[in-house]
Amino acid sequence: MTASETISSPKVTTQAVIYLGPNSMSLMVTEDIQDKPHMLDFLQQPVPLARDIFRQHRITRHTMDRCVQIIADYLEILKEYGTNTTLDIRFMMSNIVAEASNADVFINRMHVAHGLRAKRIDDGKMTRLIYVKVQNILSLYPELQKQKVLIIHTGPGNTRILLFHKGRITRYSCYRLGTHRTGEAVGEIQYGDDVSEISLLREHMRGQVDQICLDFGDIKGLNSIIVVGQEIQHLRSRLNPGKDGKITCAGMLAIAAEMAQNTIEQRMVNYGVDFAGVISLLPALLIAEMIAKNLKLDGIIVPDNEYDEEFSYSLIRSTRNPKDLEEEVLHFAGILADRYQSEKGHREHVARMCMEMFDQLQDLHRLSEHDRLLLQVASILHEVGTFISQPNHQLHSQYIILNSEIFGLSRDDVEIIALLARYHRHEVPENSDSIYGELELTDRMRIAKMAAILRVADALERGHAQRVSGIKAQFRNKTLELELKGIRETAVEDLALRLKGNLFADIFGYDIVLVPQR
């Protein structure tokens, strides 16, 4: 066989994810062949992380020691996979770790013990994982893809709700109504025989459930609710789903009543759960039942898959960051801008020019693709504050954004976008700002760079007339020449740039010169 006839073997990469979840630590090993992961192994050990955090607000020494030992065991197992392939090991943690008062101590302990750098799943990452999961679930129900479907994710600390209409997200909210958060809170309450556990759980959850129904109760044509979550999917087979996968509210109540009659030890045996997760079972049932009943639906749909394995698998697949997810983030930002009556033509034009400048000046600013997305979202939302008042609308924009949720973005991302909206006009970012000043230097520089670009783009659209159809950037000595396509004179834009262009010159060291289209 000649060299030209040699058949090259496909590239094989072995990946391992150690994931510390709310009540277990798992190891998943996959073999990535031609960018397609195939699961080789999945192991799991109970860890009472959520119990510690929601009961004591810290991670106990016992739990730390247990995590150290489990990781050591997993690393020994990984040695069996040999050295013929490239082994990529990642250590990831649930977002609830952030609620522990000693989170930094815990993360440092894991690093000292095994040299693994833990990466916490933040709220933005969590919503992205849920989005990928939802897309997979909807593909199993083709008849629902053209309807309005409410997706409820019952997590350990929070419940996230997404409204899909014709495959697109139209609403998203997050509530402090978690299965473990609720279970641990009620578990600490002392009560007599005259008060049932179910009644206490209902009263504890009522406020959040009422808010959910207020936020989503006005939806017309809502026919289906899909509930995903570790506990509800674990209980699915006991809930007797119909042929369409639907579980009735009556069926959930029957299991809840049965469960409430059992001791904690009996629940562990009867429902096949360990000590770390048993207290979250009953809250999960009641959350789903209460929301469905209050929205006047007679049941829910629960997917038929293994939640833990599917979640760990999604941690590997999500590194590919599907492009359609980015489109959903921008789509949701547009919905938020519409809610506050931000002028669509202006915001879209500013966003388009921001992206043109960002792409053409990549060698100058050296920002990431994620920064590009944040800048684009900020461009869409920079004038939402005019809904409150035109004077000082940048302050109102910051307030609205800080008090909003943007699907697919973390809380840190939302704060950056709010700061970009704040500084898109005359003010210069200063360390005295209570939010800006607390950021790391690298993050402050990212914001200053993006704000400088946003200011220039906004100046070129000062008249809200979409005069400039495009931008061509070219460096000439110590100046950045911007050729403005579609216009023959630049007097209006020159005036606006004199008010907003100083930040760009200060950050990048280039004065901007505007020239009409040649």
Side-chain angles (χ1 to χ4, degrees):
M1 181 180 291
T2 65
S4 61
E5 296 173 325
T6 301
I7 301 176
S8 59
S9 58
K11 181 182 178 181
V12 178
T13 302
T14 303
Q15 300 180 78
V17 171
I18 298 173
Y19 173 63
L20 176 59
N23 51 35
S24 66
M25 182 178 284
S26 61
L27 168 67
M28 174 172 280
V29 184
T30 64
E31 190 175 62
D32 203 356
I33 303 177
Q34 296 180 338
D35 293 329
K36 292 183 179 180
H38 302 274
M39 187 169 68
L40 300 177
D41 208 349
F42 182 79
L43 304 171
Q44 196 169 42
Q45 291 291 327
V47 174
L49 180 70
R51 187 180 68 182
D52 283 0
I53 292 174
F54 296 120
R55 182 180 296 182
Q56 303 184 42
H57 310 293
R58 63 189 303 276
I59 303 171
T60 64
R61 175 69 178 274
H62 177 269
T63 298
M64 289 189 191
D65 292 342
R66 180 167 177 78
C67 288
V68 169
Q69 183 58 55
I70 292 173
I71 292 175
D73 294 341
Y74 285 164
L75 292 178
E76 279 297 313
I77 292 171
L78 289 175
K79 291 180 180 179
E80 299 176 5
Y81 286 89
T83 58
N84 293 330
T85 58
T86 302
L87 184 60
D88 175 26
I89 303 175
R90 283 179 288 154
F91 178 31
M92 307 190 76
M93 296 180 176
S94 167
N95 55 339
I96 67 171
V97 171
E99 297 197 35
S101 60
N102 60 342
D104 290 344
V105 173
F106 175 72
I107 292 172
N108 288 335
R109 173 76 190 283
M110 299 303 107
H111 181 251
V112 169
H114 299 296
L116 294 176
R117 292 284 184 185
K119 186 173 182 180
R120 180 174 57 84
I121 298 177
D122 59 28
D123 291 338
K125 175 80 169 178
M126 192 67 199
T127 55
R128 292 192 288 273
L129 291 173
I130 294 171
Y131 174 81
V132 173
K133 180 184 288 290
V134 168
Q135 292 298 322
N136 294 334
I137 291 170
L138 289 178
S139 67
L140 303 176
Y141 300 93
E143 71 280 4
L144 298 182
Q145 295 183 23
K146 297 180 181 180
Q147 301 177 13
K148 292 180 181 178
V149 181
L150 206 63
I151 308 294
I152 300 175
H153 178 270
T154 54
N158 301 304
T159 291
R160 292 174 173 83
I161 301 184
L162 302 84
L163 176 63
F164 278 76
H165 185 209
K166 296 181 179 179
R168 301 299 302 269
I169 297 172
T170 57
R171 295 190 199 177
Y172 164 72
S173 291
C174 181
Y175 305 87
R176 288 175 67 83
L177 181 66
T179 56
H180 282 275
R181 190 192 300 278
T182 301
E184 295 297 342
V186 173
E188 293 180 350
I189 298 174
Q190 300 298 319
Y191 54 91
D193 295 336
D194 58 332
V195 180
S196 72
E197 183 181 4
I198 290 179
S199 297
L200 279 173
L201 286 168
R202 286 188 184 280
E203 286 304 313
H204 184 80
M205 297 187 297
R206 191 174 304 281
Q208 291 292 322
V209 172
D210 286 347
Q211 185 61 54
I212 290 172
C213 293
L214 182 65
D215 294 342
F216 292 91
D218 63 337
I219 303 170
K220 296 180 179 179
L222 178 64
N223 296 315
S224 301
I225 294 179
I226 297 177
V227 181
V228 295
Q230 185 178 42
E231 297 84 5
I232 198 74
Q233 289 180 243
H234 177 79
L235 293 169
R236 183 182 188 274
S237 61
R238 290 178 173 268
L239 294 169
N240 298 318
K243 293 182 179 180
D244 57 357
K246 198 168 187 179
I247 296 166
T248 65
C249 290
M252 287 186 281
L253 273 180
I255 296 296
E258 174 189 283
M259 190 181 298
Q261 299 301 314
N262 297 156
T263 65
I264 292 296
E265 291 74 17
Q266 288 172 332
R267 294 179 199 184
M268 291 171 61
V269 174
N270 294 343
Y271 300 101
V273 293
D274 53 54
F275 68 97
V278 64
I279 202 167
S280 63
L281 289 179
L282 190 52
L285 276 173
L286 294 177
I287 288 171
E289 185 270 338
M290 288 179 70
I291 294 175
K293 187 174 181 179
N294 280 271
L295 290 177
K296 296 180 171 43
L297 294 174
D298 61 357
I300 63 173
I301 296 173
V302 177
D304 182 16
N305 58 26
E306 293 293 332
Y307 181 88
D308 292 327
E309 291 186 19
E310 180 69 20
F311 186 83
S312 296
Y313 198 52
S314 67
L315 291 177
I316 294 175
R317 289 182 298 179
S318 69
T319 58
R320 291 156 179 78
N321 196 22
K323 195 69 177 176
D324 58 343
L325 178 56
E326 181 178 305
E327 294 174 1
E328 288 291 356
V329 173
L330 297 174
H331 174 68
F332 193 85
I335 292 174
L336 186 60
D338 287 338
R339 184 183 306 167
Y340 293 99
Q341 300 176 15
S342 176
E343 184 183 333
K344 187 174 182 179
H346 173 71
R347 74 189 191 223
E348 290 183 348
H349 201 70
V350 171
R352 185 161 55 251
M353 287 190 291
C354 268
M355 295 303 95
E356 288 191 22
M357 289 185 62
F358 187 99
D359 293 342
Q360 294 182 46
L361 302 178
Q362 183 68 55
D363 292 339
L364 179 64
H365 58 68
R366 298 181 181 179
L367 294 167
S368 68
E369 281 299 305
H370 187 64
D371 292 330
R372 187 182 192 276
L373 176 61
L374 298 186
L375 178 58
Q376 193 169 3
V377 173
S379 304
I380 294 170
L381 298 176
H382 74 284
E383 283 200 341
V384 291
T386 57
F387 180 81
I388 298 174
S389 175
Q390 176 63 40
N392 294 320
H393 70 262
Q394 74 277 9
L395 299 178
H396 302 310
S397 293
Q398 181 186 30
Y399 175 82
I400 288 173
I401 295 169
L402 283 176
N403 288 277
S404 301
E405 294 186 59
I406 303 176
F407 171 80
L409 299 182
S410 69
R411 194 63 212 164
D412 291 341
D413 291 337
V414 172
E415 288 184 355
I416 288 174
I417 292 166
L419 286 169
L420 292 176
R422 161 80 179 271
Y423 293 118
H424 85 274
R425 295 187 77 195
H426 313 303
E427 293 180 87
V428 175
E430 295 182 350
N431 292 347
S432 59
D433 184 301
S434 59
I435 299 178
Y436 180 82
E438 292 182 359
L439 297 174
E440 298 289 337
L441 176 61
T442 53
D443 290 329
R444 294 201 300 270
M445 286 306 301
R446 288 170 57 214
I447 291 169
K449 289 178 180 180
M450 287 188 280
I453 295 172
L454 177 56
R455 282 193 185 197
V456 174
D458 194 44
L460 299 181
E461 171 55 7
R462 184 181 183 183
H464 290 224
Q466 294 86 60
R467 280 170 31 97
V468 181
S469 61
I471 299 171
K472 182 179 180 181
Q474 186 173 349
F475 292 101
R476 294 186 184 277
N477 298 322
K478 286 295 182 180
T479 64
L480 172 62
E481 183 180 280
L482 295 182
E483 180 182 343
L484 307 185
K485 300 177 182 179
I487 65 173
R488 295 299 180 185
E489 57 85 24
T490 63
V492 174
E493 290 75 19
D494 282 327
L495 176 61
L497 192 61
R498 282 201 294 271
L499 298 174
K500 293 190 174 186
N502 289 341
L503 181 60
F504 189 96
D506 291 342
I507 295 296
F508 296 112
Y510 288 91
D511 290 317
I512 296 178
V513 176
L514 304 181
V515 298
Q517 183 174 2
R518 295 186 176 90

